[in-house]
Amino acid sequence: MKQLYFYSRLFFCSCLLYGTSSKAQEKNVYPTAAESDPVKMGWMVGSPPPENRILRFEDGSFFEFPGLRWSVAHMRQFMPTTNVSRGLGPSNPLQEALREDIGGVTFIPLGEKEPMTWEESLQKTYADGVIILHHGKIVYEKYFGALTPEGQHAAMSVTKSFTGDSGHTARKRRNY
């Protein structure tokens, strides 16, 4: 039963990731995740960067694809943000129980006919990073493009969904 719950969460996340990007791609043809990798494209590299690799808040170029892939990992360089403290006490690092089989989990995305692996879905959706926790342990962790394990990534409106889901889960478990 626990394994079914784990894979149902994995499927839910993949539907979220894949479902939103497939609708956007129906109208436009974009370069692949590998072709639009922000590090390989050289966004904001050099002093000064080449004119065709400069992203600016003022003209909105920081929020246009493919430059957006660099911007979401460097949002504090474009606009003021607020640091949210984790508290004054020591941090509690998460334990790891990494599983190599997760990347190979296959599913058929909504609206598609062909199966794909979880790993393929991350590339198809231009994912910058993903971490999967199971019973409080990291079981899967990957970073792509400009995002690093130490980096910060703009979360925007998805924060509401995860906060709501966390609150619902805590309430069901009575851990609040």
Side-chain angles (χ1 to χ4, degrees):
M1 187 65 173
K2 290 180 182 179
Q3 190 173 17
L4 177 64
Y5 178 75
F6 171 75
Y7 283 114
S8 67
R9 287 289 195 161
L10 181 64
F11 176 75
F12 171 74
C13 290
S14 66
C15 288
L16 277 176
L17 286 170
Y18 186 73
T20 55
S21 73
S22 65
K23 297 295 181 203
Q25 291 181 12
E26 288 176 3
K27 298 176 185 173
N28 300 311
V29 177
Y30 293 108
T32 66
E35 294 166 343
S36 66
D37 182 300
V39 174
K40 291 178 184 171
M41 292 192 77
W43 294 109
M44 304 297 283
V45 174
S47 183
E51 187 60 37
N52 67 344
R53 291 296 181 246
I54 295 176
L55 301 170
R56 293 185 174 91
F57 177 82
E58 296 79 20
D59 64 8
S61 61
F62 84 109
F63 217 65
E64 294 174 0
F65 187 84
L68 175 64
R69 296 198 61 209
W70 187 88
S71 300
V72 292
H74 298 89
M75 199 56 71
R76 288 184 171 191
Q77 295 177 16
F78 293 106
M79 65 180 75
T81 62
T82 300
N83 233 1
V84 178
S85 174
R86 63 164 180 77
L88 300 176
S91 63
N92 294 321
L94 294 169
Q95 295 178 353
E96 290 185 354
L98 297 174
R99 294 179 49 174
E100 297 297 323
D101 61 329
I102 295 174
V105 171
T106 60
F107 64 97
I108 299 176
L110 296 174
E112 298 290 326
K113 293 183 170 104
E114 297 297 318
M116 71 170 47
T117 65
W118 170 249
E119 192 82 29
E120 290 169 338
S121 76
L122 297 175
Q123 292 300 306
K124 180 108 177 171
T125 59
Y126 303 91
D128 295 318
V130 63
I131 185 168
I132 299 174
L133 299 175
H134 184 60
H135 295 292
K137 294 180 181 176
I138 299 171
V139 295
Y140 186 84
E141 183 175 16
K142 297 282 182 181
Y143 300 92
F144 308 96
L147 189 62
T148 65
E150 299 79 26
Q152 297 174 338
H153 192 283
M156 301 177 200
S157 62
V158 75
T159 304
K160 296 184 289 261
S161 300
F162 285 112
T163 302
D165 184 51
S166 297
H168 176 74
T169 300
R171 182 174 176 187
K172 287 195 77 113
R173 293 181 181 177
R174 304 278 188 225
N175 290 335
Y176 56 112

